[in-house]
Amino acid sequence: MDTAEIRRRFVAHFEAAGHTAVPSASLLVPDPTLLFVNAGMVPFKPYFLGQETPPYPRATSVQKCIRTPDIEDVGKTTRHGTFFEMCGNFSFGDYFKQGAIELAWELVTKPVADGGFGLEESRLHPSVLAGDDEALALWCKVTGLPESRIVKLGPKENYWSMGVPGPGGPCSEILYDRGPAYGPDADWAAMGTDMDPALEDRYLEIWNLVFMQDELSEVRSKSDFDISGSLPKKNIDTGMGLERVAFLLQGRENMYEIDVMFPVIQRAEELTGKRYGADAGDDVRMRVVADHVRSSMMLIGDGVTPGNEGRGYVLRRLLRRAVRSMRLLGYADPALPELMPVSRDRMGETYTDLVTDWERIARVAYNEEQVFRQTLATGTTIFDTAAAQVRDSGGSSLSGSQAFTLHDTYGFPIDLTLEMASEKGLEVDEAGFRGLMAEQRERAKADARAKRGKHADTGVYRGLLDASGPTEWLAYDTLRTESTVLAVLREGAAVDALGAGEVGELVLDRTPFYAESGGQAADAGTMAWDGGAVEVLDVQRPVRGLVVHQVRVTDGELRAGTPLVAQVDPQWRLGARQAHSGTHVVHAALREVLGPSALQSGSYNRPGYLRLDYGWTTALSPEQLHAVEEVSNAALREDLPVSSQYMTLEEAKEWGAIALFGETYDNSAVRVVEIGGPWSRELCGGTHVDHASQVGTVVLTSESSVGSGSRRVEALVGLEGYAYLAKERDLVGQLTSMLKVQPDQLPTRVADVVERLRTTEKELERLRLQQLLGSAADLVAGAEDVAGVSFVGTVASGAAGNDVRTLALDVRGRLPGDRPGVAAVIGEAKGRPSLVVAVNEAGQAAGVSASDLVRAGSEQLGGKGGGKADVAQGGGTDPTKADDAIAAIRRALAQR
Ligand code: SER
C-alpha cells in the first residue's frame, strides 16, 4: 500500500467518524517553546489548553513534523527520521479513552479490502501507563485481548508531554511485533515497567494515543515533571507514524525504504556506483542522504534559510550532512541538484508547493552546497596546517580544541576530521573534542531555559484574559476611545496603582492602539484621565486576544478601574500606515523585478522606515535596485487603491494572496490587503493608507545580506524619504560650489582630483627619497671610527618603512670596502621608531653582527629586533630615544 493510500485511508476513516480534516500546518508555528512543529497536536495546543475555542469538536490531520535531537541516529535505526508525517485524530472535550481506542483498533485491524490496514491482531500489543486501570480495562473490552497481552509501562514510555510546559497526559501505544528475526521474544511480565531497548526494533511502536488531561508547569525529563492542574476538558491526541506503517505495509525493512524515500537512495546508488545492501556503513550513509535531502527540502519549502543559529542551523546541518555523506560514498560533484529533484517528485504529489515554489527551494539548497564546498576547500587547508603543526612538534594527535575549531568555525564535522586525520596517520583527541561540544551544548541549553522562562510569564496574561475576556480592539476604526483600566501590572505582577514616573503595563476594556505584529511597530500615544496621564511606550499582544500597553505615568496616579481616554498619536499612525503599505509596495516591486520566487521572509516597519528580508541569494545590481525603486514609485504615482477584506484561507490562496512563512492564520477568516487589485495581495493584519499616493515616496537606502539565502532592502517613506533626498541634494550643492562644476560633472571632476592627488603623492615620495639618499654621501663623509670600524649612525626623522632600509644599505655600500663598516639608521612612521643596521663584509669577517647591534638599539627604543649578521631590523615605541639608541649601538660596537 503506498504512502498516499495510507494517508488517504487514515483521513477517510476519521472523517467518516465525524472528524474535520485539517490540512498540515507549516513546520514553523510561532510557538516560542518549539523550534519546529514536532507532533500533530502542536497547531491545536491552544484548544487543549482552553486558550481558544476549537471550531470543531473532533479533527484529523496528517502533520509535517521535524525532530532533530536524534540526528546522529538517523539511518542507524529503522525508525528515526528527522522529517516525518504524523497521522492524528483529536478530540477536544468530546470522546475520550474508549473512543480513541475503538477508532484506532478498528483502523489497524480492519481488512485491507474494507479500507483498513489489515494488521494481524496476534502481532499487536497495546500498552498502558502502569496504574491506568481504566485504559487497561478498556483495551481488554474493545479488543477482546486477555490482560496478559496488554503491556504496562512507566511514565518514560507512557506519559506524553511536549517536553516543555504545556498539555500532557497518560498514553497507550500500539506496538507491532515484526517477528523473531528482529529481536528476542518479549517476556512482558518479567520486564518491569521500562521498555527493554533490545525489544524496540522488534516491537515497533506505530501509534501513540494520548489521553490529554493534565497541564504541566515544568518538564525536567520524560519521567520527571510537575503536573500543575487539570486541563479544562479531557481530550484525545493521537499520533500514528506514517512512515512506520508504510514500511510495514510495504514489506520493507525500515522507513528509508518506503515509496516516497527509496528513489533518492536509488539515485545515490547510480551516482556513486555503490550498491545499497552491500556494506553496512554505506547503507547508513545512503539512508542519511535520503532522510536529510527530504527534510531540508521540506524546511526550505516552509521558509527556513541556512544560518548559524536556531532553525537555520538545523537546516545547514542537514544539508551539509547530506553532501558530506555523498562524499564519503565517493561522489564529489554537486550532489543536491541530482538528488533533491527526486525527492520533490515524490513529496510534491502531496505538498504541491514544493513544485510551484521549486525555483526558490532549489536556489537556497544548491547555494548552500556551493558554500559548503568552499568551506571544505578552506577547512582542508586549515586542517593541513594543524596536522603539520602536530607533526612538527613531534606529536601524533590533533588536540580537542583543534578539532572543535574545525567543527565550530569551519563547519567540519568530527567524522570528517577523524577520517582525514587517520589518512595522515594521526589521531584526534576525541574526548577533548566531546568535552568542548558538551560545554557548547550546555550554553545552548541555558539559552533555551532562559527562553522558556520568558514563556512561562504568559500565565499572568492568560489569567487576565480568563478573568475579563479579550480586549475590544478598535485600531482599524478609531484613534481615540473612552476606556476603563481593567488591570495594572508592574514587573509582571498585578498592582493596585502606578505612581508618577513609574513604568508598568495596562490592560483596558477597549483600545485604539495597534499592538506590534506582522512587522508593524506598536502605536505611540497617550492616555489621560481626570487627574493624570500616561505616555504609551509599547503595545504587545502576549496572548491572543489580550492587548497590553506598556506605559510611563507622566502625571498623577493610575489605578485599576479608572475611566480614561486613550489617544493614538495621529501623526505616528499616519507614518505607520505609510511604512506598512510601503512594505507591501516594495515587496510587489521586488517580485515584479526579480520574479515571483522572491518572497518576503520577514519585515519591520515604523513611521518613516521599512525593511524587508526576502529569500534570494545574490545582491541586487544597481540596475535592479533602481528598477525596484522605480516600480514602487510608479505604483504611488498611479495612486493604486488600497483595500482590505476578510475571506477564508482557501479563498485567499485561490486569489493568489501571499501568506507569510511562520505566521498562523485563522482558517475561517483571514484579512487580505490589496494594493492595486491583484498587483499586491497579502494576508495582513496591519494598518494601511487608503490609496497608494499617501505613502508619499519610497527611497531605497540600502541592500545587504542577512545570512545565507536571505537579502534585506531598507527604505524610507513619506517625509523621511523626502528629507533623505533633500540632505543628499544639499551635499551635492556643497560639492558643486566647492569644485565649481555642474552636478552631473561631479563624478568626473572628483575622479580627476583624486587621480591628480595620487600622481602628486607619488612625485612627492620620489623627491623625498631622492633627498634622503642624497644625504648618504654626506653621512659617509662624516663616518666615525669606533674601535677600528667605520660607523655611521643617524636619525633620519623623515624616513619611514622601506626608506630606512634603503638608506642604511646605501650608506653601507658607500663605506670603504677594505675595512669594517657599519651603518645604523633610525626613522619614524606613525609615531613609532624603526631601526635598520647594515654591516659590510669586512665588518662581518671581523665578527660584527647586525642583529646584536639592532638588539642593543631596539632596547633603548622600548622594543625588540633581530635579523641576520649582515642586515637586521628593529624598532620600538619611543621615538624620543633615537639618539640614545644610536649611542647604545656605538657602545656595543666599542665593547665588542
Ligand atoms: N502527541 C503525541 C506524540 O507525539 C501523539 O500524537 O506522540
Side-chain angles (χ1 to χ4, degrees), residues 39 41 67 86 160 208 210 237-239:
M41 53 72 65
R67 283 187 195 174
M86 194 182 274
W160 194 84
N208 185 14
V210 184
D237 151 39
T238 87

Side-chain angles (χ1 to χ4, degrees), residues 880-892:
T880 65
K881 295 281 164 54
D883 288 329
D884 296 349
I886 297 288
I889 294 171
R890 188 184 290 115
R891 250 190 334 268

Side-chain angles (χ1 to χ4, degrees), residues 140-159:
C140 295
K141 182 175 132 194
V142 171
T143 62
L145 294 176
E147 201 185 305
S148 58
R149 277 281 300 282
I150 318 287
V151 190
K152 294 153 203 86
L153 293 171
K156 192 159 157 267
E157 264 83 30
N158 275 7
Y159 188 95

Side-chain angles (χ1 to χ4, degrees), residues 15 60 72 155 166 185 224 242 251 318 331 340 378 392 432 441 516 597 603 682 694 724 731-732 737 747 782 822 860:
E15 274 190 309
T60 180
E72 317 276 348
D185 286 346
D224 182 14
L242 180 62
L318 290 168
Y331 188 76
M340 207 174 261
T378 15
D392 291 351
R441 257 198 306 279
E516 176 173 0
S597 66
S603 72
E682 294 193 23
Q694 279 179 313
Y724 180 88
L731 283 175
V732 169
S737 71
V822 170
Q860 295 294 319

Side-chain angles (χ1 to χ4, degrees), residues 547-558:
V547 179
V548 176
H549 312 77
Q550 192 195 36
V551 300
R552 179 188 294 116
V553 180
T554 48
D555 192 13
E557 190 190 56
L558 179 72

Side-chain angles (χ1 to χ4, degrees), residues 787-831:
V789 177
S790 302
F791 174 63
V792 173
T794 183
V795 181
S797 30
N802 262 342
D803 295 355
V804 179
R805 190 182 179 86
T806 313
L807 183 58
L809 295 182
D810 195 38
V811 168
R812 178 183 68 177
R814 286 166 190 258
L815 287 169
D818 53 357
R819 60 186 308 249
V822 170
V825 181
I826 297 183
E828 182 188 331
K830 295 190 189 122

